[in-house]
Amino acid sequence: MVIKVFVATSSGSIAIRKKQQEVVGFLEANKIDFKELDIAGDEDNRKWMRENVPGEKKPQNGIPLPPQIFNEEQYCGDFDSFFSAKEENIIYSFLGLAPPPGSKVTKSSEEASSLPNGDVVGEVQGSTEGTEKTEESGENEAQKEDNEDAGNLAESQEKNTEEITEEGAAGDAEEEEAEKGEEAGEEEEES
């Protein structure tokens, strides 16, 4: 099975170039075999890509923009789908590939049935619940950090006060000794 990434090598859009670069870079970094197919220089590639992107995945103007990802003839998705799969750590499922041995893929991702476009059945509901839990735990973490920061601030202020008091007392003692020394020196001069 070969992953096909349709790109436009002479795209004038910086956004498209960055998206293409991210997909290709990720696949290279993870040693996933793929074939980069240029739609700018090859009319057959462009025609094939446009005909094989499912209707519901095409933008309103009907012309899908690169990068578009396929596993042989099966459509996997566009950049947004790829990015979501990467963030959710289900990239192998998205690409229709078996995860490599020793990879950290959860059983629920492996067992979930995959649709032809790379989406996972039941994924929408699960990801919404996960997002809510993440947001809640994020708030809890932020509150804990604020409380810790407040505690650390109080401790640091207390230490600074102690240091200042100690320094002040030491400074006062030095001044008194200096004054006594001066007074003693003055008395000796008078004699």
Side-chain angles (χ1 to χ4, degrees), residues 137-153:
S137 67
E139 288 172 8
N140 292 340
E141 290 298 319
Q143 288 171 350
K144 285 178 187 175
E145 286 176 14
D146 287 344
N147 291 341
E148 286 174 10
D149 289 345
N152 291 342
L153 179 61

Side-chain angles (χ1 to χ4, degrees), residues 8-28:
T9 54
S10 63
S11 174
S13 168
I14 293 172
I16 288 176
R17 285 196 306 244
K18 283 184 176 181
K19 289 176 180 180
Q20 292 174 164
Q21 211 171 15
E22 187 172 336
V23 171
V24 169
F26 181 85
L27 295 174
E28 286 173 346

